[in-house]
Amino acid sequence: MLADIDDKKITAFRDLVNDNNQFVLKTYANKQGKNQWNLICSSMDWISVAIRNLHRFPDLDSNIDVRVMQIYSLISSIDIVNEAVKQLHRVFFGHSTKLQAFKGEKLIFNERIFDKDDNDYFKEVRACFGAHPVNLDGEGKEKRFASWPYEGFTKSSSDLEVRLYSNDPNKDDIVLGLNIKELVAFLQSRYEYLDNISLEIERQYELCKQELALTPIADCRNMRESIDILLKENESRFNNDHYRSTLEELALLLSTHLYEAELAGEALKFKNSLVPLIEELRQNLQDVNIVDLHHDDLLNPTSSIESTLHYELPKFYSCVLGQLRYKDPLFEFYLKRINEVSSNKYQLKVSDSDGQLLLKLKLIMDGIS
């Protein structure tokens, strides 16, 4: 029964939570003064722990004492999933009593001896079969105590039973049965509820996108000023890392001038070729459609020198874009190798600014296919 319970659903749920430009993190890390992101992470982690334990749950032992404690472990794992799912429900649907998941449902447990819904009935089973069997609440001030568990025979569908003794001399014992198939059905109903929560997350994300798209992005003919506008708009529209780094690289290139007169025309042509990429960024941000950029190759042209400089180029980018040139003793070597491959046409020098070095490399990459 438990072999079909695997972690695919919680893994897919976790991927959704971490996807969509980290919408969940940015929305719930500070929700009305509370960090609900931590609650979301805790819930997902413990669901994963419990589900993986259940998937590998051992065969029940022939010794009834060992079997009883195995079943208590089973109940505890199901309880973890149940509580974590309820917490996730509260985060994404709210705390209103009317919105409580499974409120009032009586679909799982048959032959119930308490008039309680499935949630509360499961709590009774959990309490009597291991959570606190020697300290149970009865009616009013009454206390009850569970007997030694034994193989079910009073109730035909029970795998285990306990007798609930009362501290009231006038009260009769009550027999409570446990059915493992019902426990598994309870687990499945709660675990599958992650699908409902996933739909709510997607609904909230789409609604947020629609609301953000209503704010128009100011247009500007100046390419450099356009980048500043788009950087601010990207920050307010999920602050996508790739879009931000692309815009920052564009800002650096468009702010850079080359002193070599013979390179001025080539540099201007390259900068003008970036217009379609800037327009694509603008349109995507306006529509809050944060997808891969079709014109990304304009900023990062493919060149045959990449195979020749497969070691030097990544190091060069780290030094220039990561501002690490003074920390890398091989920085001059990287420039020397790039100059060699480009026949020293662009003369990358240590005295060049980061922007000048980057722009010269882009011209090399753009000119050597």
Side-chain angles (χ1 to χ4, degrees):
M1 289 184 292
L2 291 170
D4 296 332
I5 305 293
D6 58 40
D7 64 355
K8 291 180 181 178
K9 189 177 294 293
I10 183 58
T11 300
F13 182 83
R14 190 188 298 275
D15 290 343
L16 173 65
V17 166
N18 291 319
D19 195 13
N20 292 338
N21 300 290
Q22 296 186 310
F23 162 73
V24 174
L25 168 62
K26 292 164 185 174
T27 301
Y28 289 95
N30 187 348
K31 186 78 169 180
Q32 298 177 338
K34 292 185 178 181
N35 187 334
Q36 295 182 320
W37 170 251
N38 288 339
L39 171 56
I40 294 167
C41 291
S42 175
S43 298
M44 293 191 300
D45 290 346
W46 278 102
I47 290 174
S48 294
V49 168
I51 290 297
R52 288 165 185 165
N53 175 57
L54 291 167
H55 182 65
R56 295 167 177 81
F57 204 78
D59 293 335
L60 294 178
D61 200 274
S62 58
N63 182 295
I64 190 168
D65 293 336
V66 176
R67 194 189 325 153
V68 165
M69 296 312 295
Q70 285 179 311
I71 291 176
Y72 177 50
S73 174
L74 169 68
I75 293 171
S76 296
S77 294
I78 295 172
D79 187 43
I80 287 172
V81 174
N82 180 44
E83 290 300 319
V85 168
K86 287 197 294 185
Q87 288 284 44
L88 291 171
H89 172 90
R90 292 188 189 104
V91 169
F92 293 108
F93 286 96
H95 292 264
S96 171
T97 304
K98 295 179 180 179
L99 296 175
Q100 286 183 14
F102 309 104
K103 181 71 174 177
E105 284 190 3
K106 296 181 180 180
L107 305 175
I108 305 295
F109 299 101
N110 299 310
E111 301 180 7
R112 63 184 72 208
I113 63 171
F114 303 111
D115 186 21
K116 298 176 180 289
D117 65 14
D118 288 336
N119 275 333
D120 289 336
Y121 200 84
F122 173 77
K123 291 179 182 179
E124 293 288 350
V125 173
R126 180 195 62 187
C128 296
F129 284 91
H132 47 90
V134 298
N135 185 18
L136 303 168
D137 292 328
E139 296 178 352
K141 295 182 179 180
E142 179 194 11
K143 285 292 182 180
R144 286 192 177 269
F145 320 102
S147 72
W148 198 310
Y150 52 90
E151 293 180 354
F153 64 87
T154 305
K155 298 178 180 297
S156 59
S157 64
S158 298
D159 295 296
L160 283 179
E161 292 179 359
V162 291
R163 298 185 75 85
L164 304 182
Y165 311 131
S166 176
N167 66 348
D168 185 338
N170 299 313
K171 291 287 186 71
D172 293 330
D173 298 345
I174 301 174
V175 176
L176 175 65
L178 176 151
N179 183 300
I180 295 177
K181 288 184 179 180
E182 290 180 348
L183 291 178
V184 174
F186 182 83
L187 165 68
Q188 289 173 325
S189 69
R190 272 55 185 169
Y191 190 37
E192 290 172 2
Y193 191 74
L194 288 176
D195 293 339
N196 298 60
I197 301 174
S198 296
L199 290 174
E200 175 61 15
I201 293 172
E202 292 172 342
R203 187 195 69 82
Q204 291 182 16
Y205 177 59
E206 290 301 321
L207 180 61
C208 182
K209 286 171 56 180
Q210 292 171 17
E211 291 176 349
L212 289 170
L214 294 176
T215 302
I217 297 177
D219 197 3
C220 180
R221 293 186 177 181
N222 183 285
M223 293 173 64
R224 180 62 187 83
E225 292 178 6
S226 289
I227 300 302
D228 288 337
I229 293 171
L230 295 179
L231 276 167
K232 291 179 181 178
E233 293 297 339
N234 181 62
E235 186 175 356
S236 66
R237 288 163 157 82
F238 305 125
N239 201 16
N240 180 267
D241 290 339
H242 178 58
Y243 277 37
R244 183 179 65 253
S245 62
T246 299
L247 288 165
E248 289 173 347
E249 191 171 342
L250 286 168
L252 180 60
L253 290 170
L254 294 174
S255 301
T256 297
H257 299 281
L258 299 180
Y259 295 116
E260 296 87 347
E262 65 275 15
L263 299 179
E266 192 175 346
L268 179 61
K269 180 181 177 181
F270 175 76
K271 291 179 182 180
N272 288 334
S273 73
L274 299 172
V275 171
L277 173 60
I278 297 172
E279 288 305 312
E280 182 182 8
L281 283 162
R282 176 189 299 280
Q283 191 60 55
N284 288 0
L285 287 171
Q286 179 62 71
D287 297 338
V288 197
N289 184 32
I290 315 300
V291 295
D292 292 342
L293 296 164
H294 296 299
H295 294 98
D296 201 37
D297 59 328
L298 297 178
L299 181 62
N300 301 293
T302 302
S303 173
S304 60
I305 70 169
E306 291 178 283
S307 58
T308 306
L309 301 174
H310 64 276
Y311 171 77
E312 292 85 353
L313 286 181
K315 295 291 186 179
F316 172 87
Y317 281 119
S318 295
C319 289
V320 171
L321 295 177
Q323 299 180 339
L324 299 174
R325 64 156 79 188
Y326 299 111
K327 296 183 180 180
D328 192 332
L330 295 178
F331 181 61
E332 289 188 48
F333 169 73
Y334 307 146
L335 300 187
K336 178 182 177 182
R337 289 285 293 126
I338 294 172
N339 282 329
E340 288 175 355
V341 171
S342 59
S343 302
N344 208 37
K345 176 183 176 181
Y346 297 90
Q347 300 180 25
L348 280 72
K349 303 182 289 291
V350 175
S351 59
D352 287 339
S353 68
D354 290 341
Q356 289 169 335
L357 289 173
L358 182 63
L359 181 53
K360 286 181 179 180
L361 179 64
K362 297 294 183 182
L363 297 181
I364 294 171
M365 302 280 284
D366 192 46
I368 304 177
S369 59

Short mmCIF file of all heavy atoms in Angstrom, two decimals, residues 125-148:
data_model
loop_
_atom_site.label_atom_id
_atom_site.label_comp_id
_atom_site.label_asym_id
_atom_site.label_seq_id
_atom_site.Cartn_x
_atom_site.Cartn_y
_atom_site.Cartn_z
N VAL A 125 -7.17 8.55 16.98
CA VAL A 125 -6.43 7.32 16.68
C VAL A 125 -4.96 7.50 17.03
O VAL A 125 -4.34 6.62 17.66
CB VAL A 125 -6.59 6.94 15.19
CG1 VAL A 125 -5.69 5.76 14.83
CG2 VAL A 125 -8.05 6.61 14.88
N ARG A 126 -4.40 8.61 16.64
CA ARG A 126 -2.98 8.90 16.95
C ARG A 126 -2.74 8.90 18.46
O ARG A 126 -1.76 8.32 18.95
CB ARG A 126 -2.61 10.27 16.36
CG ARG A 126 -1.17 10.68 16.60
CD ARG A 126 -1.00 12.17 16.34
NE ARG A 126 -1.82 12.95 17.25
CZ ARG A 126 -1.99 14.26 17.17
NH1 ARG A 126 -1.42 14.94 16.19
NH2 ARG A 126 -2.74 14.90 18.04
N ALA A 127 -3.64 9.54 19.21
CA ALA A 127 -3.48 9.61 20.66
C ALA A 127 -3.56 8.24 21.32
O ALA A 127 -2.74 7.89 22.17
CB ALA A 127 -4.54 10.55 21.25
N CYS A 128 -4.52 7.45 20.90
CA CYS A 128 -4.78 6.16 21.55
C CYS A 128 -3.76 5.09 21.18
O CYS A 128 -3.51 4.17 21.96
CB CYS A 128 -6.18 5.67 21.20
SG CYS A 128 -7.51 6.74 21.81
N PHE A 129 -3.16 5.22 20.00
CA PHE A 129 -2.22 4.20 19.55
C PHE A 129 -0.77 4.67 19.61
O PHE A 129 0.05 4.23 18.82
CB PHE A 129 -2.58 3.75 18.14
CG PHE A 129 -3.77 2.84 18.10
CD1 PHE A 129 -5.06 3.37 17.94
CD2 PHE A 129 -3.65 1.47 18.23
CE1 PHE A 129 -6.17 2.54 17.90
CE2 PHE A 129 -4.75 0.63 18.20
CZ PHE A 129 -6.03 1.16 18.05
N GLY A 130 -0.47 5.55 20.57
CA GLY A 130 0.94 5.85 20.79
C GLY A 130 1.30 7.26 21.19
O GLY A 130 2.29 7.46 21.88
N ALA A 131 0.54 8.27 20.77
CA ALA A 131 0.94 9.65 21.08
C ALA A 131 0.86 9.94 22.57
O ALA A 131 1.82 10.43 23.17
CB ALA A 131 0.09 10.65 20.29
N HIS A 132 -0.29 9.66 23.20
CA HIS A 132 -0.41 9.78 24.66
C HIS A 132 -1.54 8.86 25.15
O HIS A 132 -2.57 9.32 25.64
CB HIS A 132 -0.63 11.23 25.10
CG HIS A 132 -1.67 11.97 24.33
ND1 HIS A 132 -2.99 11.99 24.70
CD2 HIS A 132 -1.58 12.73 23.21
CE1 HIS A 132 -3.68 12.73 23.85
NE2 HIS A 132 -2.85 13.20 22.93
N PRO A 133 -1.34 7.56 25.04
CA PRO A 133 -2.40 6.60 25.36
C PRO A 133 -2.78 6.54 26.84
O PRO A 133 -3.86 6.03 27.17
CB PRO A 133 -1.81 5.26 24.89
CG PRO A 133 -0.33 5.46 24.93
CD PRO A 133 -0.11 6.89 24.57
N VAL A 134 -1.91 7.03 27.71
CA VAL A 134 -2.23 6.96 29.15
C VAL A 134 -2.78 8.29 29.66
O VAL A 134 -2.92 8.48 30.87
CB VAL A 134 -0.98 6.57 29.97
CG1 VAL A 134 -0.50 5.19 29.56
CG2 VAL A 134 0.15 7.59 29.79
N ASN A 135 -3.12 9.19 28.76
CA ASN A 135 -3.65 10.49 29.16
C ASN A 135 -4.61 10.99 28.09
O ASN A 135 -4.29 11.88 27.31
CB ASN A 135 -2.51 11.49 29.38
CG ASN A 135 -2.99 12.83 29.91
OD1 ASN A 135 -4.10 12.94 30.42
ND2 ASN A 135 -2.16 13.85 29.77
N LEU A 136 -5.80 10.39 28.06
CA LEU A 136 -6.78 10.70 27.02
C LEU A 136 -7.97 11.44 27.63
O LEU A 136 -8.38 11.16 28.76
CB LEU A 136 -7.28 9.40 26.37
CG LEU A 136 -6.21 8.51 25.74
CD1 LEU A 136 -6.80 7.15 25.40
CD2 LEU A 136 -5.61 9.16 24.51
N ASP A 137 -8.50 12.38 26.86
CA ASP A 137 -9.68 13.11 27.32
C ASP A 137 -10.94 12.33 27.00
O ASP A 137 -11.11 11.81 25.89
CB ASP A 137 -9.75 14.48 26.64
CG ASP A 137 -8.64 15.41 27.11
OD1 ASP A 137 -8.23 15.29 28.28
OD2 ASP A 137 -8.18 16.25 26.29
N GLY A 138 -11.84 12.27 27.99
CA GLY A 138 -13.15 11.68 27.77
C GLY A 138 -14.19 12.78 27.68
O GLY A 138 -13.92 13.87 27.17
N GLU A 139 -15.38 12.51 28.20
CA GLU A 139 -16.44 13.51 28.20
C GLU A 139 -16.31 14.40 29.44
O GLU A 139 -16.15 13.89 30.56
CB GLU A 139 -17.81 12.82 28.19
CG GLU A 139 -18.06 12.00 26.93
CD GLU A 139 -19.41 11.30 26.98
OE1 GLU A 139 -20.05 11.34 28.05
OE2 GLU A 139 -19.82 10.73 25.96
N GLY A 140 -16.38 15.71 29.23
CA GLY A 140 -16.26 16.62 30.35
C GLY A 140 -14.90 16.52 31.01
O GLY A 140 -13.86 16.66 30.37
N LYS A 141 -14.89 16.21 32.32
CA LYS A 141 -13.64 16.08 33.06
C LYS A 141 -13.13 14.64 33.09
O LYS A 141 -12.14 14.34 33.76
CB LYS A 141 -13.82 16.59 34.49
CG LYS A 141 -14.13 18.09 34.57
CD LYS A 141 -14.24 18.55 36.01
CE LYS A 141 -14.53 20.05 36.09
NZ LYS A 141 -14.64 20.50 37.51
N GLU A 142 -13.80 13.78 32.39
CA GLU A 142 -13.42 12.37 32.39
C GLU A 142 -12.07 12.16 31.73
O GLU A 142 -11.71 12.85 30.76
CB GLU A 142 -14.48 11.55 31.63
CG GLU A 142 -14.17 10.06 31.54
CD GLU A 142 -15.04 9.35 30.52
OE1 GLU A 142 -15.74 10.05 29.74
OE2 GLU A 142 -15.01 8.10 30.49
N LYS A 143 -11.31 11.21 32.24
CA LYS A 143 -10.06 10.79 31.63
C LYS A 143 -10.17 9.32 31.23
O LYS A 143 -10.81 8.52 31.93
CB LYS A 143 -8.89 10.96 32.60
CG LYS A 143 -8.45 12.40 32.79
CD LYS A 143 -7.81 12.93 31.50
CE LYS A 143 -7.31 14.34 31.67
NZ LYS A 143 -6.69 14.86 30.43
N ARG A 144 -9.54 8.98 30.11
CA ARG A 144 -9.52 7.59 29.67
C ARG A 144 -8.09 7.15 29.42
O ARG A 144 -7.18 7.97 29.21
CB ARG A 144 -10.38 7.41 28.41
CG ARG A 144 -11.89 7.44 28.69
CD ARG A 144 -12.69 6.98 27.51
NE ARG A 144 -14.13 6.93 27.80
CZ ARG A 144 -14.75 5.86 28.27
NH1 ARG A 144 -14.06 4.74 28.52
NH2 ARG A 144 -16.05 5.88 28.50
N PHE A 145 -7.90 5.83 29.40
CA PHE A 145 -6.57 5.26 29.26
C PHE A 145 -6.68 4.06 28.33
O PHE A 145 -7.56 3.22 28.47
CB PHE A 145 -6.04 4.82 30.63
CG PHE A 145 -6.37 5.81 31.72
CD1 PHE A 145 -7.42 5.55 32.60
CD2 PHE A 145 -5.68 6.99 31.84
CE1 PHE A 145 -7.75 6.46 33.59
CE2 PHE A 145 -6.00 7.91 32.83
CZ PHE A 145 -7.05 7.65 33.70
N ALA A 146 -5.75 4.00 27.37
CA ALA A 146 -5.79 2.93 26.38
C ALA A 146 -5.14 1.66 26.93
O ALA A 146 -4.13 1.72 27.63
CB ALA A 146 -5.09 3.35 25.10
N SER A 147 -5.72 0.52 26.57
CA SER A 147 -5.17 -0.78 26.99
C SER A 147 -3.97 -1.14 26.12
O SER A 147 -3.62 -0.45 25.17
CB SER A 147 -6.25 -1.85 26.84
OG SER A 147 -6.48 -2.11 25.44
N TRP A 148 -3.38 -2.26 26.47
CA TRP A 148 -2.37 -2.89 25.61
C TRP A 148 -3.00 -3.16 24.25
O TRP A 148 -4.06 -3.77 24.17
CB TRP A 148 -1.98 -4.21 26.25
CG TRP A 148 -0.71 -4.83 25.79
CD1 TRP A 148 -0.32 -5.04 24.52
CD2 TRP A 148 0.32 -5.34 26.63
NE1 TRP A 148 0.88 -5.67 24.49
CE2 TRP A 148 1.32 -5.86 25.79
CE3 TRP A 148 0.49 -5.42 28.03
CZ2 TRP A 148 2.47 -6.45 26.27
CZ3 TRP A 148 1.63 -6.01 28.50
CH2 TRP A 148 2.63 -6.51 27.64
#
